[in-house]
Amino acid sequence: MALINENYLKLKAGYLFPEIGRRVREFEQANPEAKIIRMGIGDVTRPLVPSVVKAFHEGVDEMAASASFKGYGPEQGYAFLREAIAANDFQARGVNISADDIFISDGSKCDTGNIQEIFGAANKIAICDPVYPVYADTTVMSGKTGVCMDNGYFENIIYMPCTEANGLLPELPAERPDLIFLCFPNNPTGTVASREVLKTWVDYAIANQSIILYDAAYEAFITDDTIPHSIFEIEGAEKVAIEFRSFSKTAGFTGTRCAFTVIPDGLMAYDSEGNAHKVKPLWMRRQTTKFNGVSYPVQKAAAAIYTEEGKKEVAEVIAYYLENARIMRESLTALGFKVYGGENAPYVWVKTANGLSSWDFFDLLLHKANVVGTPGSGFGPSGEGYFRFSAFADREKVIDAMSRVKAVI
Ligand SMILES: *Cc1c(COP(=O)(O)O)cnc(C)c1O
């Protein structure tokens, strides 16, 4: 008899985005003439920049000629890409990360989920609430939790509510976690962490022999010079943190697929007898067994982001989205909404009008304004009563959406 992994049965039926899709389709079928503006799923809308496209094409041409054809690439990713990352994203900020600490992958979603495999099932995981759903769901899949309780929380996960009361920043948990997921700039709330905030977490992780799993998928949106782009800008973090980065939001690679994970050589975790082991070789072993790398043309395209031209072009795209965020932030504030994020981040997080639930507000905007956003409660119980607007949209649609919202509230 084939037995399933029963942890999957613990997952709540339906994922947030399929439910949004279902409601939008239902509305569209009933109202085929409605012009819907989608600001729901966090997916980019601008095309790849010219330098990236050129390198991508060149990569394909190389694959087409016997002299330059490439089969399986190096296990951690091509050195030209890892070296460009180490130099530009880390060493240029005074951070001592080398190309050897970098693992190229096809996405941060898979990396943040897969990383759980190299940590035992007895680990206690701390996650923010609201949160990017992948951290909680993969924690459940990997067997580290009990069932989902009536309040929407899973047994055996330490939740860190991020609410108005704490400025949407997680507080140090009372119970000691082994692994701590943090994401800044945050999805869904758009909040950022200052150097002081990150230092508190690094010191806490050092004191508790915990590891911080730091998702920096949105670091490219940071324009404030005082906000760290990497957790490794904090002293001591190289002993207690893993960082996840992705070209998805940075350079429009959501459909092209390229990301990377940084595991410093000195990062240690412990066996049941308390002996310390390096984490990096475990991830290397995991990846070389289960993953065969990102295609050469894609890695070549990603490296083009680090050329002078590429940097300039990518910065323009980021500035475009940030301007969208500014427009949303200012329009919604002027309408009387309590607004978070939208600065140094592509997400604007608002308290719903008139105390509506997140889904009621979703339905109101869908039916009356034909605008689709994301209900905050889909990111966790503390997201109830909040709503996320994404800046990943065309400018005229953002402006149109804001005037439609104004007309219905
Ligand atoms: C979009 C996003 C990612 C990137 O995922 P990819 O698999 O690299 O496309 C990672 N973390 C968060 C929080 C995100 O929103």
Side-chain angles (χ1 to χ4, degrees):
M1 189 166 48
L3 300 176
I4 53 164
N5 174 352
E6 292 194 20
N7 293 310
Y8 279 64
L9 300 181
K10 299 174 188 164
L11 296 167
K12 280 180 286 184
Y15 179 68
L16 170 64
F17 295 108
E19 176 59 18
I20 292 175
R22 194 189 64 74
R23 292 192 192 208
V24 173
R25 270 193 309 280
E26 205 175 272
F27 177 77
E28 272 179 322
Q29 273 156 16
N31 304 276
E33 74 296 342
K35 291 210 163 46
I36 294 176
I37 300 180
R38 290 161 206 277
M39 306 170 93
I41 297 182
D43 195 359
V44 296
T45 55
R46 309 297 296 166
L48 297 174
V49 299
S51 307
V52 166
V53 174
K54 180 165 171 281
F56 208 168
H57 279 300
E58 284 168 7
V60 173
D61 288 342
E62 285 176 62
M63 297 300 265
S66 59
S68 50
F69 170 78
K70 288 170 180 63
Y72 291 123
E75 290 164 331
Q76 273 183 257
Y78 282 96
F80 64 78
L81 178 55
R82 288 183 295 111
E83 279 159 12
I85 292 168
N88 290 278
D89 284 334
F90 298 101
Q91 289 155 13
R93 294 185 188 282
V95 177
N96 184 23
I97 290 292
S98 75
D100 277 350
D101 303 329
I102 293 165
F103 295 79
I104 307 298
S105 79
D106 59 352
S108 281
K109 184 187 212 175
C110 25
D111 285 354
T112 53
N114 292 336
I115 199 79
Q116 306 238 13
E117 257 182 55
I118 62 169
F119 297 105
N123 281 285
K124 228 11 195 312
I125 316 267
I127 59 173
C128 294
D129 164 32
V131 74
Y132 179 55
V134 176
Y135 315 147
D137 288 357
T138 58
T139 300
V140 175
M141 289 172 176
S142 67
K144 299 187 184 77
T145 75
V147 297
C148 187
M149 299 178 287
D150 290 341
N151 63 1
Y153 282 172
F154 284 94
E155 288 172 348
N156 217 35
I157 285 181
I158 301 169
Y159 288 90
M160 302 179 288
C162 299
T163 61
E164 246 187 319
N166 53 30
L168 303 179
L169 286 172
E171 292 166 40
L172 299 177
E175 187 186 353
R176 181 188 159 281
D178 303 300
L179 302 172
I180 305 162
F181 274 106
L182 293 178
C183 173
F184 292 112
N186 190 260
N187 176 11
T189 67
T191 46
V192 289
S194 66
R195 186 170 297 279
E196 295 68 41
V197 165
L198 289 182
K199 181 168 187 323
T200 310
W201 281 101
V202 168
D203 291 348
Y204 177 83
I206 292 172
N208 289 290
Q209 293 181 305
S210 313
I211 289 179
I212 296 171
L213 302 172
Y214 193 74
D215 187 342
Y218 296 96
E219 65 75 32
F221 292 83
I222 296 172
T223 51
D224 178 340
D225 291 340
T226 67
I227 308 280
H229 288 245
S230 165
I231 186 117
F232 299 121
E233 290 179 52
I234 310 300
E235 194 190 343
E238 69 287 352
K239 295 192 223 94
V240 290
I242 293 174
E243 184 162 296
F244 303 96
R245 293 269 190 114
S246 173
F247 299 113
S248 282
K249 316 302 163 36
T250 305
F253 271 54
T254 52
T256 304
R257 312 305 304 147
C258 196
F260 61 94
T261 288
V262 185
I263 307 187
D265 199 53
L267 180 72
M268 307 300 249
Y270 305 87
D271 63 26
S272 50
E273 271 140 36
N275 304 307
H277 298 266
K278 282 190 175 183
V279 173
K280 188 158 97 174
L282 301 182
W283 183 243
M284 173 72 108
R285 189 73 174 81
R286 193 269 169 210
Q287 290 299 77
T288 53
T289 303
K290 297 196 180 182
F291 181 61
N292 251 338
V294 175
S295 80
Y296 171 73
V298 168
Q299 292 194 56
K300 182 149 172 147
I305 296 165
Y306 295 101
T307 60
E308 281 316 307
E309 270 304 295
K311 281 183 199 173
K312 238 186 284 164
E313 292 165 358
V314 165
E316 279 167 23
V317 177
I318 299 280
Y320 179 91
Y321 291 133
L322 282 172
E323 174 63 7
N324 285 350
R326 188 194 63 77
I327 291 168
M328 291 194 291
R329 191 185 154 81
E330 292 187 359
S331 310
L332 293 163
T333 303
L335 292 177
F337 284 98
K338 176 85 188 147
V339 178
Y340 296 91
E343 286 174 320
N344 304 296
Y347 296 119
V348 177
W349 182 249
V350 302
K351 258 187 117 165
T352 61
N354 308 319
L356 287 179
S357 77
S358 298
W359 277 111
D360 284 348
F361 190 63
F362 173 89
D363 286 332
L364 171 80
L365 291 190
L366 173 62
H367 290 260
K368 297 274 159 52
N370 306 158
V371 169
V372 179
T374 315
S377 57
F379 298 102
S382 295
E384 181 56 273
Y386 289 86
F387 200 75
R388 190 191 76 178
F389 288 98
S390 159
F392 297 124
D394 293 338
R395 178 70 43 76
E396 60 281 7
K397 289 197 175 145
V398 169
I399 293 168
D400 190 8
M402 289 301 110
S403 61
R404 292 192 199 179
V405 171
K406 184 175 179 179
V408 302
I409 64 135

